[in-house]
């Protein structure tokens, strides 16, 4: 795909603009430039927040039906440009075409789901009181102008998970996509621009974290920031938001576990371990990068996993049937190879992978990598790697597996594999994680909550929880 031009990276009050900050966008499979995006700075952000604030009075009073119409129009617009969005996602992010298609379909499902919730979002509900002298009702009102800051690993998807409920709630929005992967986000924004929203309700400012993200988090006109990204930046966003006591929703990192119980179907366990470790080249906050295997199955699991990993096809994401593409950029490539080196230095045993893919002349391709005998105090075991790296550990009992799984500062998700369903459900209940899959791939429905325990999250996205994250609750109490 060639797209060597300068794209407008700012959309404010219904107008596309070229901002003052040029951002280079690359194709991680070829390392070639794809486009320049003319993003914004603090002044641009100021104008976006002002436009959103001016539009709030009107949009916050719009009917649920009006909001639902816009959200459905966005879903239909995404459907109509599905192939284009898939192509942009794969060229800018390096995802195999099949994975990009999953992303686009998730975006459609999310906008359709919140269109359904929008209709009821503005309705008051009665509240029973233990008194005949008063009546009360509860209103859920939009919390104001919101700032949405999203990362590069699931562009469009993390945006949809915030934007659809924010618009359904009646909020006005300033969105800041990742400077690494703006291309599909810009196409999505073009679809939103044509969906019938009043000017100023949806605004977008591309740019770096320091030039645009930090002032967005600090702006006093922004009532709430919803952020997805790294823990280090999440802390900074919280600190900036604290200056004006604004609400924050944070979706941060993970170091999740996949537990292979003694009753597990071996084929399924290996399939889920590969998917949990290597989907999106492991660049997932929900990667199940620590695999805890029951003693009785360990040797067979290792043999089958090693064979499966050897068969994973890594390369050009536009080639049909490709299993894995490159990492997103040079910084991420260096970071992941650095983690692999640090694991080796810490004494972990490399089972397979551990280097760049030899037959790729360029691009940020790293082999799917598996370690065993990983020291439990090493960075490899404890820190989020965000690359295609699995750590295996043999466990003697269910209790040991649970203790190891929960021994993390994170608690985003977990997977359990076992045919003894009573044991699998018991283990799921004891895991400190916001979402647990049993014998299932990492399927995510817009109806289910997304977010985790401990340092993985503050709040939940998706489902009705995702909507209430953008609402204030008001009680109106009247004497009879
Ligand atoms: P990042 O934290 O570097 O950047 C995320 C976003 O924040 C980007 O748009 C960036 O420009 C912006 N930003 C950077 N500095 C900022 C600042 N000082 N103030 C405000 N905004 C700033 O994260 P990333 O590298 O883009 O993404 C990878 C991280 O995201 C991983 O740690 C991953 O676990 C996490 N993640 C979490 C989830 C989840 O749902 N829990 C989902 C996807 C990614």
């Amino acid at each position: 795909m060639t797209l060597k031009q300068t794209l407008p990276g700012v959309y404010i009050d219904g107008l596309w603009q070229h901002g003052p900050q040029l951002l280079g966008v690359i194709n991680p499979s070829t390392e070639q430039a794809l486009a320049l995006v003319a993003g914004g700075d603090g002044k641009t952000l100021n104008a976006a927040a002002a436009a959103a604030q001016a539009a709030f009075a009107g949009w916050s009073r719009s009917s649920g039906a009006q909001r639902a119409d816009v959200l459905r129009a966005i879903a239909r617009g995404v459907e109509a440009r599905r192939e284009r969005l898939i192509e942009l996602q794969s060229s800018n992010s390096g995802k195999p075409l099949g994975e990009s298609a999953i992303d686009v379909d998730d975006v459609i499902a999310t906008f359709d789901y919140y269109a359904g919730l929008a209709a009821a979002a503005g309705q008051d509900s009665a509240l029973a009181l233990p008194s005949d002298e008063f009546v009360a009702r509860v209103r859920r009102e939009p919390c104001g102008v919101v700032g949405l800051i999203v990362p590069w690993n699931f562009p469009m998807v993390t945006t949809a998970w915030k934007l659809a409920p924010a618009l359904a709630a009646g909020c006005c929005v300033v969105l800041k996509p990742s400077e690494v992967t703006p291309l599909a986000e810009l196409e999505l924004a073009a679809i939103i621009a044509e969906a019938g929203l009043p000017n100023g309700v949806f605004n977008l400012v591309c740019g770096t974290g320091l030039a645009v993200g930090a002032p967005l988090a600090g702006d006093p006109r922004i009532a709430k920031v919803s952020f997805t990204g790294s823990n280090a930046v999440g802390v900074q966003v919280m600190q900036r938001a604290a200056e004006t006591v604004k609400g924050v929703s944070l979706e941060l990192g993970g170091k999740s576990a996949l537990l292979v119980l003694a009753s597990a179907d071996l084929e399924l366990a290996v399939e889920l371990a590969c998917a949990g470790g290597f989907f999106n080249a492991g660049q997932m906050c929900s990667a199940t990068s620590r695999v805890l295997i029951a003693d009785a199955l360990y040797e067979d699991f290792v043999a089958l996993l090693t064979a499966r990993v050897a068969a994973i096809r890594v390369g050009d994401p536009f080639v049909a049937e490709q299993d894995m593409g490159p990492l997103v950029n040079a910084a991420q490539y260096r970071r992941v190879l650095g983690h692999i080196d640090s694991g080796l230095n810490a004494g972990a045993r490399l089972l397979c992978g551990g280097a760049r893919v030899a037959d790729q002349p360029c691009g940020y391709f790293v082999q799917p990598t598996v370690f065993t005998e990983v020291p439990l105090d090493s960075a490899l075991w404890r820190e989020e790697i965000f690359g295609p790296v699995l750590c295996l550990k043999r466990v003697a009992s269910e209790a040991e597996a649970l203790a190891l799984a929960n021994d993390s500062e994170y608690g985003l998700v977990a997977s359990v594999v076992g045919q003894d369903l009573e044991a699998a459900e018991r283990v799921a209940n004891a895991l400190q994680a916001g979402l647990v899959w049993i014998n299932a791939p990492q399927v995510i429905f817009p109806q289910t909550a997304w977010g985790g325990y401990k340092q993985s999250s503050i709040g939940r996205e998706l489902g009705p929880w995702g909507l209430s994250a953008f609402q204030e609750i008001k009680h109106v109490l009247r004497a009879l």
Side-chain angles (χ1 to χ4, degrees), residues 149-153 158 176-179 207-210 213-214 227-230 233 236-237 251-254 285 384 386 412 450 456:
I149 304 176
V150 296
W152 48 256
N153 62 332
T158 39
K176 193 204 91 61
S178 167
E179 61 275 36
T208 61
L210 284 183
F227 169 85
T228 298
S230 62
V233 176
Q236 290 170 30
V237 165
E251 294 299 337
L252 308 175
C285 49
E384 180 174 57
F386 232 57
L412 189 57
W450 181 259
S456 283

